[in-house]
Amino acid sequence: MTPSSHGPRHTGRLSRRHFALTLPSALLAAGCAAPHRGTGRPGDPVVLTLLSHYASGEQKQALQGPVDEWNATHDRVKVRTEAVEFTDLLTTLMVRQAAGQGADILHPYCLWNGQLVRAGVLRPAPSEHAEEIRRGYGAAAVAAASVAGTVYGYPTEMQTYALYYNRRLLREAGFPGPPNTWRQLEETAYRTARRDRYGNTLVQGFGLSAYDDSTTVGQTLALLNAAGGRFVSADGRRTALDGPTGRTVFELEHRLVGSGASDPGVNVYQAFPSGRVAMVISAGWWTGSLKPLMGRDYRDVGVAPVPVPEADDPRATLSTGFMLGVNTASEHPREAWEFLRWLNTGKVRVTHGRATRMSALQVSVGSLTGRADDMRTLLGRGGDPNLRPFLDALAYAVPEPNVPGAQQAKSLLRKNIEALWTGQQSVDGTLRTIRRQVDQEVSRSW
């Protein structure tokens, strides 16, 4: 993915490694010839197309494994995978649909679901599948795969946000552990930040990074959710950021930048592994990249829940995700849902027990799903303890709003956050501009 990506992770910039678990050989086998399209003659198999952004590397292989397993064990219905880069996925979904060339099965970023539903691209899940999804996944995953209460697909990749911190830097500043409240967060950030005599940043106390939509917005919305706030109102027609909670988040970030504890111009994905950021909020996929980047220094890395304003406040954070759904234009919806049920509910043997194929697939590429039981089984005992806070967060995370204008609203939010961080706008001005711009985007007729 490129720096302009709007996605929830950074595949292509930072490598992602396999977790230490043994997957069934059928899940790791790849490279079998893709089935050809049926000729329409009696007995010719139905061939379903699955379009995703798993275009290369570990992800492509991980998805192809169970697809090959399905094709080897099912004669009547075959599946053929197609892929584009994530940056092209939304455009591809919309353009192919308009041209009557949409794939049978789609793998969208859940942020886009409202837009795709409004455009008539996604088919509602049949009742038996919707019941299975509501029963088998956490609330945040179900909400992300739903629009206006209707379930549209099986949740796949799930990312939750937490606080990464450098134990050594905190210890050297006199802190035995990570902050739990915003007051502690500020104090820790101020005391761990360091600059040279010319004012250049040596260590960011708290890493705010204007890197891309997911980094800039993800950090801010994780803090907003932790304070009990929301970006968009429940009805999806206006921003809910322009209120006391949103103001406290922006004031916190404004103070951190103004004091020099945060330097948004620093790339946290390079600075944190080299020990130049004491704390940063990011998603769970990063653990798999930090280990090979940091080597022995990874022992200095800890992960904790996102701090809350006051000690007795309930936990909350941001979650992002993808789902697999069926195209309204598919001529074989029943077969498509049959395959998705097999992929997302059928269990296979793994190191510590049994888990669904999709959960095993996601863990193999450094991710989670919304199935907490699967995640506990797959991560097992003795695994990386830094993954546990992300697993725990599945129970209290808040999904990104997926109203029809959500993608543009997210980009507008990023633009205004960065204007605040760079001193181009005040807190009041930022809140006013966000209200005007985002309300216009999410309330307009699509």
Side-chain angles (χ1 to χ4, degrees):
M1 291 163 60
T2 65
S4 62
S5 165
H6 302 301
R9 10 181 234 166
H10 302 266
T11 308
R13 287 195 301 268
L14 299 174
S15 63
R16 303 180 66 174
R17 304 299 189 208
H18 291 277
F19 288 114
L21 74 144
T22 303
L23 296 180
S25 58
L27 286 177
L28 296 178
C32 298
H36 61 79
R37 286 193 174 274
T39 64
R41 294 193 298 267
D44 199 37
V46 169
V47 179
L48 304 172
T49 54
L50 188 164
L51 176 63
S52 77
H53 61 291
Y54 289 0
S56 61
E58 293 175 338
Q59 292 174 320
K60 181 178 181 179
Q61 179 180 350
L63 176 60
Q64 192 61 47
V67 168
D68 287 344
E69 180 191 358
W70 167 275
N71 289 334
T73 55
H74 292 76
D75 294 329
R76 188 177 61 85
V77 178
K78 303 294 185 179
V79 177
R80 178 167 59 86
T81 58
E82 299 176 349
V84 297
E85 294 297 331
F86 176 79
T87 48
D88 299 323
L89 182 57
L90 179 57
T91 300
T92 301
L93 291 172
M94 300 298 286
V95 170
R96 287 194 182 182
Q97 194 75 6
Q101 299 174 349
D104 296 282
I105 299 170
L106 308 175
H107 194 195
Y109 178 24
C110 289
L111 181 76
W112 306 332
N113 283 350
Q115 180 176 347
L116 294 173
V117 168
R118 184 68 64 89
V121 176
L122 291 174
R123 182 186 297 266
S127 58
E128 64 272 23
H129 293 271
E131 290 171 8
E132 166 60 34
I133 292 164
R134 292 191 180 100
R135 182 172 62 250
Y137 295 82
V142 175
S146 303
V147 177
T150 298
V151 177
Y152 283 89
Y154 283 89
T156 59
E157 175 183 341
M158 185 85 171
Q159 296 291 344
T160 57
Y161 282 65
L163 181 77
Y164 287 84
Y165 63 96
N166 185 303
R167 291 188 176 92
R168 176 182 58 79
L169 292 176
L170 265 62
R171 186 171 57 249
E172 290 174 353
F175 297 100
N180 182 55
T181 66
W182 286 10
R183 184 185 298 275
Q184 295 169 356
L185 174 68
E186 285 195 73
E187 182 182 0
T188 305
Y190 297 149
R191 286 172 52 180
T192 52
R194 296 205 312 270
R195 290 178 177 266
D196 63 20
R197 60 177 179 170
Y198 303 106
N200 299 311
T201 299
L202 298 176
V203 175
Q204 274 199 89
F206 182 75
L208 294 174
S209 187
Y211 192 77
D212 61 10
D213 279 5
S214 298
T215 305
T216 304
V217 174
Q219 294 170 319
T220 299
L221 292 189
L223 287 169
L224 179 70
N225 293 338
R230 298 293 182 270
F231 176 30
V232 177
S233 62
D235 63 7
R237 306 298 291 178
R238 59 183 178 81
T239 179
L241 190 62
D242 185 21
T245 306
R247 180 178 296 277
T248 60
V249 173
F250 282 174
E251 288 176 342
L252 170 65
E253 293 181 347
H254 189 253
R255 289 194 301 271
L256 289 168
V257 174
S259 68
S262 297
D263 184 351
V266 173
N267 182 346
V268 293
Y269 297 110
Q270 296 176 354
F272 185 86
S274 61
R276 293 183 288 118
V277 177
M279 301 176 293
V280 62
I281 291 173
S282 192
W285 65 267
W286 202 18
T287 56
S289 294
L290 287 173
K291 289 180 184 179
L293 284 171
M294 298 182 69
R296 287 176 56 85
D297 289 339
Y298 182 73
R299 61 188 174 183
D300 292 332
V301 177
V303 177
V306 174
V308 290
E310 302 294 339
D312 58 351
D313 288 342
R315 293 287 181 198
T317 189
L318 175 69
S319 68
T320 63
F322 286 77
M323 70 158 213
L324 280 165
V326 177
N327 195 331
T328 57
S330 173
E331 296 179 0
H332 307 285
R334 185 174 64 82
E335 290 83 356
W337 286 113
E338 178 185 353
F339 168 74
L340 291 183
R341 186 200 295 273
W342 175 89
L343 179 63
N344 291 280
T345 69
K347 294 201 172 185
V348 294
R349 184 166 299 282
V350 295
T351 302
H352 303 290
R354 295 180 66 81
T356 62
R357 290 177 176 84
M358 179 53 67
S359 290
L361 185 164
Q362 291 300 329
V363 170
S364 76
V365 295
S367 184
L368 303 174
T369 69
R371 290 186 179 271
D373 290 344
D374 276 358
M375 292 302 100
R376 294 188 186 96
T377 298
L378 286 159
L379 298 180
R381 295 179 181 178
D384 187 347
N386 284 339
L387 296 172
R388 292 294 157 177
F390 300 104
L391 173 57
D392 294 342
L394 290 173
Y396 58 76
V398 177
E400 288 181 296
N402 60 9
V403 296
Q407 180 62 77
Q408 182 63 16
K410 183 175 183 179
S411 298
L412 290 169
L413 179 57
R414 174 194 178 185
K415 178 181 178 181
N416 282 281
I417 291 171
E418 293 179 0
L420 172 69
W421 289 353
T422 55
Q424 299 173 54
Q425 292 179 174
S426 65
V427 170
D428 286 339
T430 300
L431 291 169
R432 285 194 303 269
T433 304
I434 289 172
R435 181 181 65 235
R436 183 182 70 255
Q437 293 181 346
V438 173
D439 282 3
Q440 181 179 7
E441 191 61 35
V442 300
S443 65
R444 69 188 178 94
S445 178
W446 283 78

